Amino acid sequence: MSDLPALRIAPVDGEVVLQQWRHVHNVIVPPAAMDLDEVRERSRRYRLRNAYVGDVLVGCSTVRPPEGEDAVATVIARVLPEYRRRGYGTQLYEDGLAHARVLGAEVIETCVLAVNEDGLRFAESRGFVEIDRYVLDGETDEWLDLRLERS
């Protein structure tokens, strides 16, 4: 991977980058597509980042801060299909995981759309195991919550 261009992970802090984050999110999880106002609101609660190779947007991430007595944080890395299997998801995930740990996370979870086989494979290869499978009220798409098992 050393011959690949460097991945740059940048905060989402402006209209253009909010729109870019929204684009990646909506491509990866169309059943949960968001409008720009929803992304703005999410950016106030969670850490959103975009990933670039040069000036090309390749992915985004979300870190939901730890909650509850178990200090559960959610880390989600998304890479556009045409840029997968190049190590970008790993870098995005590791960046998000490190941030969650700094925030005091004791437990790490992620959420994947069940039909996203690449996303499930990615999570499972990093030690995540399924803890819940569900369909949101009024919806038909199946989602999986996964938890990182510590060794």
Side-chain angles (χ1 to χ4, degrees):
M1 282 203 296
S2 60
D3 58 341
L4 287 178
L7 187 70
R8 177 174 57 90
I9 301 172
V12 171
D13 62 355
E15 286 299 301
V16 170
V17 290
L18 279 169
Q19 291 175 23
Q20 291 172 337
W21 185 94
R22 177 181 174 254
H23 169 75
V24 174
H25 176 275
N26 291 353
V27 166
I28 306 299
V29 286
M34 288 190 246
D35 65 30
L36 205 48
D37 285 337
E38 290 170 312
V39 176
R40 283 186 198 105
E41 191 278 327
R42 185 165 286 199
S43 73
R44 289 189 283 276
R45 293 183 292 133
Y46 307 142
R47 187 186 80 157
L48 308 182
R49 312 261 284 180
N50 286 339
Y52 305 89
V53 174
D55 291 330
V56 177
L57 177 68
V58 300
C60 74
S61 66
T62 302
V63 176
R64 298 176 189 161
E67 294 182 343
E69 65 182 50
D70 291 336
V72 178
T74 301
V75 176
I76 303 169
R78 301 174 198 88
V79 175
L80 292 168
E82 61 269 31
Y83 298 104
R84 292 180 181 162
R85 294 180 184 81
R86 300 182 192 184
Y88 303 141
T90 297
Q91 291 177 63
L92 261 176
Y93 165 70
E94 289 174 355
D95 175 77
L97 180 62
H99 183 69
R101 296 282 190 219
V102 166
L103 295 176
E106 295 291 328
V107 177
I108 304 295
E109 292 184 353
T110 196
C111 180
V112 179
L113 186 60
V115 297
N116 181 353
E117 293 176 6
D118 285 343
L120 286 174
R121 236 184 335 270
F122 180 88
E124 290 169 348
S125 73
R126 276 143 191 87
F128 283 87
V129 295
E130 181 179 332
I131 58 169
D132 195 15
R133 186 178 288 250
Y134 54 93
V135 175
L136 297 171
D137 289 342
E139 302 290 330
T140 58
D141 297 288
E142 190 172 50
W143 296 87
L144 280 78
D145 286 342
L146 300 108
R147 180 169 284 177
L148 184 61
E149 292 291 304
R150 291 192 172 202
S151 49

